[in-house]
DNA sequence: TCAAAAGTGTTGACGGTACACCCATGT
DNA sequence: ACATGGGTGTACCGTCAACACTTTTGA
Protein backbone atom coordinates (compact mmCIF):
# COMPACT_ATOMS: atom_id res chain seq x y z
CA UNK A 1 0.00 0.00 0.00
CA UNK A 2 1.53 3.26 -1.04
CA UNK A 3 1.71 6.54 0.73
CA UNK A 4 -0.81 7.87 -1.72
CA UNK A 5 -3.28 5.21 -0.78
CA UNK A 6 -3.21 3.19 -3.96
CA UNK A 7 -2.58 -0.50 -3.85
CA UNK A 8 0.89 -1.29 -5.10
CA UNK A 9 3.39 -3.80 -3.80
CA UNK A 10 6.65 -1.93 -3.43
CA UNK A 11 9.15 -3.46 -5.86
CA UNK A 12 11.33 -0.58 -6.96
CA UNK A 13 13.57 -1.23 -9.94
CA UNK A 14 16.78 -0.04 -8.40
CA UNK A 15 18.82 0.81 -11.42
CA UNK A 16 16.07 2.92 -12.93
CA UNK A 17 15.34 4.51 -9.58
CA UNK A 18 18.97 5.45 -9.10
CA UNK A 19 19.22 6.91 -12.56
CA UNK A 20 16.15 8.96 -11.93
CA UNK A 21 17.49 10.52 -8.70
CA UNK A 22 19.82 12.73 -10.68
CA UNK A 23 17.05 13.94 -12.99
CA UNK A 24 14.57 14.51 -10.22
CA UNK A 25 16.36 17.59 -9.04
CA UNK A 26 16.31 19.31 -12.38
CA UNK A 27 12.80 18.16 -13.18
CA UNK A 28 10.56 17.39 -10.24
CA UNK A 29 8.07 14.89 -11.56
CA UNK A 30 4.36 14.51 -11.06
CA UNK A 31 3.31 11.10 -9.78
CA UNK A 32 1.65 8.95 -12.43
CA UNK A 33 -1.31 6.67 -11.83
CA UNK A 34 -3.89 4.79 -13.85
CA UNK A 35 -7.60 4.64 -12.98
CA UNK A 36 -10.14 2.27 -14.46
CA UNK A 37 -13.82 2.79 -15.11
CA UNK A 38 -15.19 -0.74 -15.31
CA UNK A 39 -18.65 -1.01 -16.86
CA UNK A 40 -20.66 -4.14 -16.33
CA UNK A 41 -23.99 -5.00 -17.89
CA UNK A 42 -26.65 -7.56 -17.26
CA UNK A 43 -29.94 -7.56 -19.16
CA UNK A 44 -31.77 -8.43 -15.93
CA UNK A 45 -30.52 -5.32 -14.18
CA UNK A 46 -28.79 -2.40 -15.88
CA UNK A 47 -25.47 -0.77 -16.63
CA UNK A 48 -23.17 -0.65 -13.60
CA UNK A 49 -19.74 0.60 -12.51
CA UNK A 50 -17.26 -1.20 -10.32
CA UNK A 51 -16.02 0.86 -7.36
CA UNK A 52 -13.74 0.25 -4.41
CA UNK A 53 -13.97 1.76 -0.98
CA UNK A 54 -10.86 3.64 0.12
CA UNK A 55 -9.16 2.43 3.29
CA UNK A 56 -6.69 5.29 3.53
CA UNK A 57 -6.80 9.01 3.79
CA UNK A 58 -7.57 11.19 1.97
CA UNK A 59 -11.18 10.42 1.13
CA UNK A 60 -11.00 7.53 3.57
CA UNK A 61 -14.17 5.44 3.45
CA UNK A 62 -15.34 7.03 0.23
CA UNK A 63 -15.83 5.20 -3.01
CA UNK A 64 -13.33 5.52 -5.82
CA UNK A 65 -12.30 4.03 -9.14
CA UNK A 66 -9.84 1.16 -8.96
CA UNK A 67 -6.35 2.31 -9.86
CA UNK A 68 -2.79 2.84 -8.74
CA UNK A 69 0.75 3.80 -9.58
CA UNK A 70 2.43 3.06 -12.87
CA UNK A 71 5.67 1.14 -12.46
CA UNK A 72 8.77 2.16 -14.32
CA UNK A 73 9.02 -0.93 -16.47
CA UNK A 74 5.39 -1.50 -17.45
CA UNK A 75 3.27 0.12 -20.13
CA UNK A 76 0.25 2.21 -19.16
CA UNK A 77 -2.16 -0.44 -20.31
CA UNK A 78 -0.24 -3.11 -18.44
CA UNK A 79 -0.48 -0.99 -15.30
CA UNK A 80 -4.24 -0.64 -15.76
CA UNK A 81 -4.66 -4.38 -16.23
CA UNK A 82 -2.48 -5.15 -13.22
CA UNK A 83 -4.37 -2.79 -10.93
CA UNK A 84 -7.65 -4.19 -12.15
CA UNK A 85 -6.52 -7.72 -11.39
CA UNK A 86 -5.01 -6.87 -8.01
CA UNK A 87 -7.85 -4.73 -6.74
CA UNK A 88 -10.91 -6.35 -8.22
CA UNK A 89 -9.97 -9.73 -9.69
CA UNK A 90 -11.11 -8.64 -13.14
CA UNK A 91 -9.02 -10.09 -15.95
CA UNK A 92 -8.97 -10.48 -19.74
CA UNK A 93 -11.38 -7.71 -20.57
CA UNK A 94 -11.84 -5.10 -23.24
CA UNK A 95 -9.78 -2.14 -22.05
CA UNK A 96 -9.18 1.15 -23.80
CA UNK A 97 -7.49 4.39 -22.87
CA UNK A 98 -9.97 7.15 -22.14
CA UNK A 99 -8.26 10.41 -21.24
CA UNK A 100 -5.48 11.73 -19.03
CA UNK A 101 -6.46 13.89 -16.10
CA UNK A 102 -3.84 16.27 -14.80
CA UNK A 103 -5.29 19.30 -13.04
CA UNK A 104 -2.64 20.35 -10.50
CA UNK A 105 -5.13 20.24 -7.62
CA UNK A 106 -6.87 16.96 -8.39
CA UNK A 107 -5.05 15.26 -5.51
CA UNK A 108 -4.86 17.34 -2.33
CA UNK A 109 -1.42 16.12 -1.28
CA UNK A 110 0.78 16.06 -4.32
CA UNK A 111 0.73 16.49 -8.04
CA UNK A 112 -0.74 13.30 -9.46
CA UNK A 113 -1.51 12.81 -13.11
CA UNK A 114 -3.80 9.93 -13.91
CA UNK A 115 -4.28 8.10 -17.17
CA UNK A 116 -7.86 6.83 -17.18
CA UNK A 117 -8.97 3.63 -18.92
CA UNK A 118 -12.41 2.14 -19.34
CA UNK A 119 -13.24 -1.54 -19.42
CA UNK A 120 -16.31 -3.45 -20.54
CA UNK A 121 -17.40 -6.77 -19.10
CA UNK A 122 -20.43 -8.99 -19.03
CA UNK A 123 -21.94 -9.43 -15.59
CA UNK A 124 -23.80 -12.52 -16.78
CA UNK A 125 -20.44 -14.07 -17.62
CA UNK A 126 -18.77 -13.39 -14.27
CA UNK A 127 -21.82 -12.84 -12.08
CA UNK A 128 -20.77 -10.35 -9.42
CA UNK A 129 -17.23 -11.76 -9.52
CA UNK A 130 -15.20 -13.63 -6.93
CA UNK A 131 -14.57 -10.32 -5.17
CA UNK A 132 -18.07 -9.70 -3.95
CA UNK A 133 -17.02 -11.26 -0.68
CA UNK A 134 -14.61 -8.42 -0.12
CA UNK A 135 -16.62 -5.67 1.51
CA UNK A 136 -14.71 -2.99 -0.28
CA UNK A 137 -15.59 -3.73 -3.90
CA UNK A 138 -19.08 -3.29 -5.30
CA UNK A 139 -21.14 -2.64 -8.40
CA UNK A 140 -23.31 0.46 -8.58
CA UNK A 141 -26.04 1.21 -11.08
CA UNK A 142 -25.15 4.33 -13.04
CA UNK A 143 -28.07 6.24 -11.58
CA UNK A 144 -27.08 5.34 -8.03
CA UNK A 145 -23.38 6.10 -7.91
CA UNK A 146 -22.27 7.47 -4.53
CA UNK A 147 -20.05 10.56 -4.20
CA UNK A 148 -16.59 9.69 -5.44
CA UNK A 149 -13.08 10.55 -4.26
CA UNK A 150 -10.77 12.95 -6.12
CA UNK A 151 -12.08 13.93 -9.56
CA UNK A 152 -13.36 10.42 -10.16
CA UNK A 153 -16.87 11.64 -10.81
CA UNK A 154 -15.53 13.66 -13.71
CA UNK A 155 -13.63 10.63 -15.00
CA UNK A 156 -16.77 8.53 -14.78
CA UNK A 157 -18.77 11.11 -16.73
CA UNK A 158 -16.10 11.19 -19.41
CA UNK A 159 -16.23 7.39 -19.63
CA UNK A 160 -20.01 7.39 -20.00
CA UNK A 161 -19.80 10.01 -22.74
CA UNK A 162 -17.16 7.97 -24.55
CA UNK A 163 -19.14 4.76 -24.28
CA UNK A 164 -22.26 6.50 -25.57
CA UNK A 165 -20.42 7.96 -28.50
CA UNK A 166 -18.39 4.94 -29.43
CA UNK A 167 -21.09 2.31 -29.15
CA UNK A 168 -22.82 3.86 -32.17
CA UNK A 169 -20.02 3.51 -34.65
CA UNK A 170 -17.99 0.59 -33.34
CA UNK A 171 -19.31 -2.79 -32.29
CA UNK A 172 -18.00 -2.61 -28.74
CA UNK A 173 -21.37 -3.19 -27.13
CA UNK A 174 -20.87 -6.94 -27.48
CA UNK A 175 -18.11 -6.76 -24.90
CA UNK A 176 -20.82 -6.09 -22.32
CA UNK A 177 -22.78 -9.22 -23.20
CA UNK A 178 -22.01 -12.90 -22.72
CA UNK A 179 -20.65 -14.69 -25.75
CA UNK A 180 -24.12 -15.98 -26.62
CA UNK A 181 -26.95 -13.51 -26.34
CA UNK A 182 -30.44 -12.82 -27.59
CA UNK A 183 -31.40 -9.89 -29.77
CA UNK A 184 -33.63 -8.57 -27.01
CA UNK A 185 -30.68 -8.47 -24.63
CA UNK A 186 -28.65 -6.60 -27.23
CA UNK A 187 -31.48 -4.15 -27.77
CA UNK A 188 -31.86 -3.55 -24.06
CA UNK A 189 -28.13 -2.87 -23.87
CA UNK A 190 -28.33 -0.21 -26.55
CA UNK A 191 -31.45 1.31 -25.02
CA UNK A 192 -29.68 1.54 -21.69
CA UNK A 193 -26.48 3.07 -23.00
CA UNK A 194 -28.15 5.50 -25.39
CA UNK A 195 -30.92 6.18 -22.91
CA UNK A 196 -33.66 6.01 -25.51
CA UNK A 197 -36.19 3.38 -26.61
CA UNK A 198 -35.56 1.60 -29.92
CA UNK A 199 -38.05 -0.02 -32.25
CA UNK A 200 -37.83 -3.80 -32.03
CA UNK A 201 -38.38 -4.63 -35.70
CA UNK A 202 -36.11 -1.93 -37.02
CA UNK A 203 -33.38 -2.83 -34.58
CA UNK A 204 -33.44 -6.51 -35.49
CA UNK A 205 -33.64 -5.91 -39.24
CA UNK A 206 -30.78 -3.47 -39.17
CA UNK A 207 -28.45 -5.64 -37.13
CA UNK A 208 -29.16 -8.81 -39.02
CA UNK A 209 -28.72 -7.00 -42.33
CA UNK A 210 -25.19 -6.06 -41.23
CA UNK A 211 -24.23 -9.69 -41.34
CA UNK A 212 -22.08 -9.46 -38.20
CA UNK A 213 -24.03 -11.91 -36.07
CA UNK A 214 -24.33 -15.64 -36.50
CA UNK A 215 -27.55 -17.31 -35.38
CA UNK A 216 -26.77 -20.33 -33.23
CA UNK A 217 -28.79 -23.55 -33.09
CA UNK A 218 -29.48 -22.85 -29.46
CA UNK A 219 -32.07 -20.99 -27.48
CA UNK A 220 -32.30 -19.36 -24.09
CA UNK A 221 -32.97 -21.63 -21.13
CA UNK A 222 -34.67 -21.04 -17.83
CA UNK A 223 -37.20 -18.46 -18.93
CA UNK A 224 -40.93 -18.73 -18.25
CA UNK A 225 -41.96 -18.02 -21.82
CA UNK A 226 -40.94 -18.79 -25.36
CA UNK A 227 -37.15 -19.15 -25.46
CA UNK A 228 -35.32 -16.75 -27.75
CA UNK A 229 -32.69 -17.69 -30.28
CA UNK A 230 -29.08 -17.07 -29.29
CA UNK A 231 -26.60 -15.18 -31.45
CA UNK A 232 -22.87 -14.68 -31.46
CA UNK A 233 -20.82 -11.69 -32.61
CA UNK A 234 -18.06 -12.47 -35.10
CA UNK A 235 -15.08 -10.13 -34.71
CA UNK A 236 -13.23 -11.62 -37.69
CA UNK A 237 -16.29 -11.08 -39.85
CA UNK A 238 -16.29 -7.46 -38.73
CA UNK A 239 -12.62 -6.98 -39.63
CA UNK A 240 -13.28 -8.50 -43.01
CA UNK A 241 -16.27 -6.27 -43.76
CA UNK A 242 -14.43 -3.21 -42.50
CA UNK A 243 -11.72 -3.72 -45.09
CA UNK A 244 -14.41 -3.73 -47.74
CA UNK A 245 -15.47 -0.27 -46.60
CA UNK A 246 -18.26 -1.33 -44.26
CA UNK A 247 -19.04 1.01 -41.37
CA UNK A 248 -20.84 -0.14 -38.29
CA UNK A 249 -23.49 2.38 -37.38
CA UNK A 250 -26.54 2.43 -35.23
CA UNK B 1 17.54 22.84 -21.71
CA UNK B 2 16.93 19.60 -19.88
CA UNK B 3 18.98 16.48 -19.78
CA UNK B 4 16.25 14.82 -21.80
CA UNK B 5 16.65 17.29 -24.58
CA UNK B 6 13.32 19.04 -24.30
CA UNK B 7 13.18 22.77 -24.05
CA UNK B 8 12.33 23.79 -20.52
CA UNK B 9 13.79 26.61 -18.44
CA UNK B 10 14.81 25.04 -15.13
CA UNK B 11 12.58 26.61 -12.46
CA UNK B 12 12.04 23.85 -9.92
CA UNK B 13 9.30 24.43 -7.38
CA UNK B 14 11.35 23.66 -4.32
CA UNK B 15 8.70 22.88 -1.80
CA UNK B 16 6.93 20.43 -4.10
CA UNK B 17 10.24 18.98 -5.18
CA UNK B 18 11.31 18.42 -1.60
CA UNK B 19 8.02 16.79 -0.70
CA UNK B 20 8.37 14.52 -3.65
CA UNK B 21 11.85 13.28 -2.64
CA UNK B 22 10.36 11.16 0.11
CA UNK B 23 7.87 9.53 -2.23
CA UNK B 24 10.36 8.97 -4.95
CA UNK B 25 12.06 6.13 -3.17
CA UNK B 26 8.89 4.16 -2.65
CA UNK B 27 7.57 5.10 -6.06
CA UNK B 28 10.12 5.95 -8.69
CA UNK B 29 8.29 8.14 -11.15
CA UNK B 30 8.30 8.21 -14.92
CA UNK B 31 9.10 11.58 -16.42
CA UNK B 32 6.06 13.33 -17.89
CA UNK B 33 6.07 15.37 -21.07
CA UNK B 34 3.57 16.80 -23.52
CA UNK B 35 3.95 16.68 -27.30
CA UNK B 36 1.93 18.65 -29.82
CA UNK B 37 0.89 17.74 -33.33
CA UNK B 38 0.17 21.09 -34.95
CA UNK B 39 -1.81 20.89 -38.17
CA UNK B 40 -1.84 23.87 -40.49
CA UNK B 41 -3.86 24.25 -43.64
CA UNK B 42 -3.83 26.59 -46.58
CA UNK B 43 -6.12 26.11 -49.56
CA UNK B 44 -3.24 27.08 -51.87
CA UNK B 45 -1.02 24.28 -50.62
CA UNK B 46 -2.21 21.40 -48.44
CA UNK B 47 -2.39 20.02 -44.93
CA UNK B 48 0.90 20.38 -43.05
CA UNK B 49 2.52 19.60 -39.70
CA UNK B 50 4.81 21.80 -37.69
CA UNK B 51 8.09 20.12 -36.69
CA UNK B 52 11.22 21.20 -34.88
CA UNK B 53 14.73 19.98 -35.42
CA UNK B 54 16.38 18.53 -32.34
CA UNK B 55 19.62 20.11 -31.21
CA UNK B 56 20.45 17.54 -28.54
CA UNK B 57 21.06 13.86 -28.39
CA UNK B 58 19.38 11.47 -28.73
CA UNK B 59 18.00 11.84 -32.22
CA UNK B 60 20.17 14.93 -32.61
CA UNK B 61 19.43 16.72 -35.88
CA UNK B 62 16.27 14.72 -36.50
CA UNK B 63 12.82 16.22 -36.71
CA UNK B 64 10.39 15.90 -33.83
CA UNK B 65 7.10 17.18 -32.52
CA UNK B 66 7.30 20.28 -30.33
CA UNK B 67 6.96 19.37 -26.66
CA UNK B 68 8.60 19.26 -23.27
CA UNK B 69 8.27 18.60 -19.57
CA UNK B 70 5.16 19.20 -17.55
CA UNK B 71 5.80 21.48 -14.58
CA UNK B 72 4.47 20.60 -11.18
CA UNK B 73 2.07 23.51 -10.91
CA UNK B 74 0.57 23.62 -14.40
CA UNK B 75 -2.18 21.59 -15.99
CA UNK B 76 -1.42 19.33 -18.93
CA UNK B 77 -3.12 21.62 -21.39
CA UNK B 78 -1.28 24.62 -19.96
CA UNK B 79 1.99 22.75 -20.43
CA UNK B 80 1.11 22.00 -24.04
CA UNK B 81 0.22 25.64 -24.72
CA UNK B 82 3.38 26.85 -23.03
CA UNK B 83 5.65 24.55 -25.00
CA UNK B 84 3.90 25.51 -28.19
CA UNK B 85 4.45 29.18 -27.49
CA UNK B 86 8.06 28.77 -26.37
CA UNK B 87 9.17 26.48 -29.16
CA UNK B 88 7.17 27.67 -32.12
CA UNK B 89 5.51 31.00 -31.29
CA UNK B 90 2.05 29.49 -31.86
CA UNK B 91 -0.62 30.90 -29.54
CA UNK B 92 -4.38 30.97 -29.04
CA UNK B 93 -5.22 27.91 -31.07
CA UNK B 94 -7.67 25.05 -30.96
CA UNK B 95 -5.96 22.40 -28.83
CA UNK B 96 -7.28 19.04 -27.73
CA UNK B 97 -5.82 16.09 -25.91
CA UNK B 98 -5.13 13.17 -28.22
CA UNK B 99 -3.72 10.18 -26.38
CA UNK B 100 -1.08 9.34 -23.82
CA UNK B 101 1.91 7.35 -25.00
CA UNK B 102 3.75 5.36 -22.38
CA UNK B 103 5.60 2.37 -23.81
CA UNK B 104 8.54 1.80 -21.42
CA UNK B 105 11.08 1.91 -24.27
CA UNK B 106 9.79 4.93 -26.17
CA UNK B 107 12.69 7.04 -24.89
CA UNK B 108 16.05 5.26 -24.96
CA UNK B 109 17.40 6.88 -21.79
CA UNK B 110 14.65 6.89 -19.22
CA UNK B 111 11.01 6.15 -18.76
CA UNK B 112 9.14 9.05 -20.29
CA UNK B 113 5.38 9.16 -20.58
CA UNK B 114 4.02 11.72 -22.99
CA UNK B 115 0.57 13.21 -23.17
CA UNK B 116 -0.01 14.12 -26.82
CA UNK B 117 -2.18 17.03 -27.96
CA UNK B 118 -3.16 18.16 -31.42
CA UNK B 119 -3.72 21.71 -32.55
CA UNK B 120 -5.39 23.22 -35.60
CA UNK B 121 -4.43 26.53 -37.15
CA UNK B 122 -4.96 28.45 -40.32
CA UNK B 123 -1.81 29.09 -42.32
CA UNK B 124 -3.53 31.86 -44.27
CA UNK B 125 -4.12 33.66 -41.00
CA UNK B 126 -0.52 33.42 -39.75
CA UNK B 127 1.27 32.83 -43.05
CA UNK B 128 4.24 30.61 -42.20
CA UNK B 129 4.54 32.29 -38.80
CA UNK B 130 7.17 34.59 -37.37
CA UNK B 131 9.28 31.51 -36.66
CA UNK B 132 10.06 30.61 -40.22
CA UNK B 133 13.30 32.55 -39.85
CA UNK B 134 14.48 30.11 -37.22
CA UNK B 135 16.14 27.28 -39.09
CA UNK B 136 14.85 24.69 -36.68
CA UNK B 137 11.10 25.03 -37.11
CA UNK B 138 9.32 24.12 -40.32
CA UNK B 139 6.06 23.03 -41.89
CA UNK B 140 5.93 19.73 -43.74
CA UNK B 141 3.21 18.50 -46.05
CA UNK B 142 1.70 15.32 -44.65
CA UNK B 143 2.96 13.27 -47.57
CA UNK B 144 6.50 14.58 -47.13
CA UNK B 145 7.15 14.16 -43.44
CA UNK B 146 10.77 13.22 -42.67
CA UNK B 147 11.66 10.39 -40.26
CA UNK B 148 10.78 11.48 -36.75
CA UNK B 149 12.48 11.07 -33.38
CA UNK B 150 11.16 8.74 -30.63
CA UNK B 151 7.69 7.35 -31.39
CA UNK B 152 6.61 10.65 -32.87
CA UNK B 153 5.65 9.03 -36.13
CA UNK B 154 3.14 6.92 -34.27
CA UNK B 155 1.80 9.99 -32.48
CA UNK B 156 1.43 11.79 -35.78
CA UNK B 157 -0.47 8.87 -37.27
CA UNK B 158 -2.80 8.81 -34.29
CA UNK B 159 -3.41 12.54 -34.70
CA UNK B 160 -4.22 12.15 -38.39
CA UNK B 161 -6.65 9.34 -37.60
CA UNK B 162 -8.32 11.44 -34.93
CA UNK B 163 -8.62 14.45 -37.19
CA UNK B 164 -10.08 12.33 -39.96
CA UNK B 165 -12.62 10.79 -37.64
CA UNK B 166 -13.60 13.90 -35.76
CA UNK B 167 -13.91 16.25 -38.69
CA UNK B 168 -16.93 14.28 -39.87
CA UNK B 169 -19.09 14.69 -36.82
CA UNK B 170 -17.86 17.91 -35.22
CA UNK B 171 -17.30 21.23 -36.95
CA UNK B 172 -13.62 21.49 -36.09
CA UNK B 173 -12.50 21.89 -39.69
CA UNK B 174 -13.17 25.63 -39.48
CA UNK B 175 -10.24 25.94 -37.07
CA UNK B 176 -7.99 25.25 -40.04
CA UNK B 177 -9.40 28.10 -42.12
CA UNK B 178 -9.23 31.87 -41.73
CA UNK B 179 -12.25 33.48 -40.14
CA UNK B 180 -13.67 34.34 -43.56
CA UNK B 181 -13.47 31.65 -46.18
CA UNK B 182 -15.06 30.52 -49.43
CA UNK B 183 -17.02 27.31 -49.84
CA UNK B 184 -14.42 26.05 -52.28
CA UNK B 185 -11.71 26.45 -49.66
CA UNK B 186 -13.84 24.56 -47.18
CA UNK B 187 -14.46 21.81 -49.67
CA UNK B 188 -10.79 21.52 -50.48
CA UNK B 189 -10.07 21.21 -46.77
CA UNK B 190 -12.47 18.30 -46.41
CA UNK B 191 -11.18 16.65 -49.53
CA UNK B 192 -7.65 16.90 -48.20
CA UNK B 193 -8.41 15.56 -44.75
CA UNK B 194 -10.71 12.78 -45.88
CA UNK B 195 -8.50 12.05 -48.87
CA UNK B 196 -11.42 11.73 -51.28
CA UNK B 197 -13.08 13.98 -53.85
CA UNK B 198 -16.46 15.50 -52.96
CA UNK B 199 -19.22 16.64 -55.25
CA UNK B 200 -19.39 20.42 -55.37
CA UNK B 201 -23.15 20.86 -55.52
CA UNK B 202 -23.92 18.26 -52.88
CA UNK B 203 -21.28 19.66 -50.58
CA UNK B 204 -22.57 23.21 -50.82
CA UNK B 205 -26.23 22.25 -50.48
CA UNK B 206 -25.57 20.13 -47.47
CA UNK B 207 -23.50 22.69 -45.62
CA UNK B 208 -25.77 25.60 -46.35
CA UNK B 209 -28.81 23.53 -45.31
CA UNK B 210 -27.19 23.05 -41.89
CA UNK B 211 -27.55 26.74 -41.24
CA UNK B 212 -24.17 27.01 -39.52
CA UNK B 213 -22.56 29.45 -41.93
CA UNK B 214 -23.41 33.07 -42.49
CA UNK B 215 -22.88 34.53 -45.95
CA UNK B 216 -20.98 37.80 -45.74
CA UNK B 217 -21.40 40.77 -48.05
CA UNK B 218 -17.83 40.36 -49.14
CA UNK B 219 -15.98 38.45 -51.78
CA UNK B 220 -12.51 37.13 -52.30
CA UNK B 221 -9.91 39.57 -53.52
CA UNK B 222 -6.78 39.16 -55.56
CA UNK B 223 -7.87 36.21 -57.68
CA UNK B 224 -7.64 36.17 -61.46
CA UNK B 225 -11.21 35.03 -62.00
CA UNK B 226 -14.67 35.55 -60.59
CA UNK B 227 -14.39 36.29 -56.89
CA UNK B 228 -16.21 33.89 -54.56
CA UNK B 229 -18.50 34.88 -51.72
CA UNK B 230 -17.02 34.70 -48.23
CA UNK B 231 -18.65 32.87 -45.33
CA UNK B 232 -18.14 32.76 -41.60
CA UNK B 233 -18.73 29.88 -39.18
CA UNK B 234 -20.93 30.71 -36.20
CA UNK B 235 -19.93 28.71 -33.11
CA UNK B 236 -22.81 30.07 -30.98
CA UNK B 237 -25.26 29.03 -33.68
CA UNK B 238 -23.78 25.54 -33.52
CA UNK B 239 -24.16 25.33 -29.73
CA UNK B 240 -27.74 26.46 -30.09
CA UNK B 241 -28.61 23.90 -32.75
CA UNK B 242 -26.83 21.14 -30.83
CA UNK B 243 -29.10 21.69 -27.86
CA UNK B 244 -32.06 21.19 -30.16
CA UNK B 245 -30.71 17.77 -31.07
CA UNK B 246 -28.86 18.74 -34.23
CA UNK B 247 -25.85 16.63 -35.18
CA UNK B 248 -23.16 17.89 -37.47
CA UNK B 249 -22.31 15.22 -39.97
CA UNK B 250 -20.55 15.07 -43.26
C1' DT C 1 -11.88 36.62 -76.03
C1' DC C 2 -10.07 33.36 -73.29
C1' DA C 3 -9.08 30.97 -69.06
C1' DA C 4 -10.48 29.75 -64.58
C1' DA C 5 -13.32 29.13 -61.10
C1' DA C 6 -18.20 30.42 -59.20
C1' DG C 7 -22.55 29.20 -58.92
C1' DT C 8 -26.92 26.63 -59.46
C1' DG C 9 -31.53 21.96 -59.52
C1' DT C 10 -33.43 17.68 -60.53
C1' DT C 11 -33.99 12.82 -60.43
C1' DG C 12 -33.64 8.06 -58.94
C1' DA C 13 -32.09 4.86 -55.37
C1' DC C 14 -31.74 3.69 -50.82
C1' DG C 15 -32.20 3.51 -46.06
C1' DG C 16 -34.77 5.18 -41.98
C1' DT C 17 -39.00 5.28 -39.47
C1' DA C 18 -43.45 4.13 -38.11
C1' DC C 19 -46.52 0.74 -37.11
C1' DA C 20 -49.69 -4.26 -35.14
C1' DC C 21 -50.42 -8.83 -34.97
C1' DC C 22 -49.71 -13.95 -34.29
C1' DC C 23 -46.59 -17.52 -32.11
C1' DA C 24 -44.24 -20.47 -28.74
C1' DT C 25 -43.45 -21.71 -24.10
C1' DG C 26 -43.81 -22.36 -19.07
C1' DT C 27 -46.83 -21.98 -15.14
C1' DA D 1 -55.95 -20.94 -20.52
C1' DC D 2 -53.27 -17.28 -19.67
C1' DA D 3 -49.33 -14.43 -19.28
C1' DT D 4 -45.01 -13.19 -21.14
C1' DG D 5 -41.91 -12.08 -24.32
C1' DG D 6 -40.44 -13.90 -29.37
C1' DG D 7 -40.75 -13.09 -33.82
C1' DT D 8 -42.12 -11.05 -38.38
C1' DG D 9 -43.26 -7.24 -43.18
C1' DT D 10 -44.68 -3.12 -45.51
C1' DA D 11 -45.52 1.61 -46.94
C1' DC D 12 -44.12 6.32 -46.74
C1' DC D 13 -40.78 9.80 -46.67
C1' DG D 14 -36.55 12.14 -46.47
C1' DT D 15 -31.70 12.14 -47.51
C1' DC D 16 -27.77 10.96 -50.36
C1' DA D 17 -25.52 10.42 -54.86
C1' DA D 18 -25.04 11.35 -59.57
C1' DC D 19 -24.90 14.54 -62.97
C1' DA D 20 -23.66 19.56 -66.80
C1' DC D 21 -24.17 23.96 -68.03
C1' DT D 22 -24.18 29.18 -67.54
C1' DT D 23 -22.07 33.26 -65.28
C1' DT D 24 -18.57 36.37 -63.73
C1' DT D 25 -14.14 38.31 -63.64
C1' DG D 26 -9.30 39.44 -64.54
C1' DA D 27 -5.59 39.03 -67.66
Amino acid sequence: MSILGHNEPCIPLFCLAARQMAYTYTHPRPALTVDCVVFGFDAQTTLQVLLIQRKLTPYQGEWALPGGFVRLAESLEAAARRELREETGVEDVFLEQLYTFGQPDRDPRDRVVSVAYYALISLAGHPLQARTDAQDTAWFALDAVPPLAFDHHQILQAAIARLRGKVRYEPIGFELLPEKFTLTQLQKLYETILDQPLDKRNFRNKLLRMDLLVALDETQTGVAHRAARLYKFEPQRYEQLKQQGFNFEL
Side-chain angles (χ1 to χ4, degrees), chain A:
Chain A
M1 213 46 111
S2 93
I3 199 161
L4 288 186
H6 278 100
N7 230 338
E8 181 180 89
C10 174
I11 313 179
L13 302 172
F14 286 106
C15 35
L16 283 173
R19 226 171 53 178
Q20 144 164 28
M21 284 302 190
Y23 299 159
T24 302
Y25 178 69
T26 46
H27 291 284
R29 299 173 172 192
L32 189 67
T33 60
V34 288
D35 286 306
C36 299
V37 179
V38 184
F39 290 112
F41 180 77
D42 175 349
Q44 266 69 63
T45 59
T46 183
L47 192 57
Q48 306 188 257
V49 213
L50 188 58
L51 299 176
I52 63 170
Q53 199 164 20
R54 288 180 58 80
K55 294 206 179 101
L56 299 178
T57 163
Y59 298 104
Q60 186 173 12
E62 290 196 39
W63 294 91
L65 299 172
F69 288 96
V70 176
R71 297 186 185 160
L72 280 192
E74 76 191 344
S75 71
L76 299 172
E77 182 175 323
R81 289 193 187 277
R82 178 179 51 71
E83 289 291 344
L84 219 46
R85 185 169 12 87
E86 289 176 4
E87 295 197 337
T88 69
V90 171
E91 255 176 305
D92 296 326
V93 292
F94 172 93
L95 185 73
E96 188 177 89
Q97 191 182 304
L98 172 62
Y99 195 79
T100 299
F101 294 82
Q103 284 304 119
D105 57 357
R106 56 180 295 282
D107 188 304
R109 296 153 306 171
D110 193 2
R111 179 72 192 278
V112 181
V113 170
S114 183
V115 184
Y117 281 77
Y118 72 102
L120 305 179
I121 85 178
S122 157
L123 290 183
H126 346 173
L128 279 191
Q129 214 66 20
R131 283 292 171 135
T132 317
D133 51 19
Q135 292 259 342
D136 59 354
T137 303
W139 291 100
F140 289 86
L142 280 195
D143 52 12
V145 172
L148 299 180
F150 305 104
D151 57 355
H152 287 188
H153 183 71
Q154 189 192 344
I155 298 179
L156 173 60
Q157 293 307 314
I160 293 170
R162 174 78 137 259
L163 180 60
R164 236 175 229 168
K166 191 141 190 170
V167 89
R168 306 191 65 154
Y169 64 92
E170 293 246 20
I172 58 171
F174 303 105
E175 303 288 343
L176 287 161
L177 292 173
E179 195 192 355
K180 300 171 182 179
F181 53 86
T182 69
L183 292 182
T184 302
Q185 288 168 352
L186 183 60
Q187 183 178 342
K188 188 174 174 223
L189 169 63
Y190 273 91
E191 289 179 328
T192 305
I193 296 179
L194 301 179
D195 196 26
Q196 62 176 336
L198 298 172
D199 180 85
K200 180 159 67 159
R201 276 169 294 187
N202 294 337
F203 181 83
R204 296 163 95 94
N205 287 156
K206 191 163 178 177
L207 266 157
L208 293 177
R209 226 185 309 132
M210 284 185 196
D211 209 21
L212 285 175
L213 303 183
V214 278
L216 302 174
D217 282 333
E218 295 176 67
T219 54
Q220 255 179 332
T221 55
V223 285
H225 54 76
R226 174 173 177 182
R229 158 156 267 125
L230 290 171
Y231 290 81
K232 202 169 80 175
F233 170 63
E234 295 270 85
Q236 322 113 28
R237 179 79 186 123
Y238 173 60
E239 292 306 322
Q240 187 185 338
L241 287 172
K242 208 164 52 168
Q243 292 195 336
Q244 295 163 27
F246 166 80
N247 276 315
F248 181 88
E249 193 165 337
L250 195 127

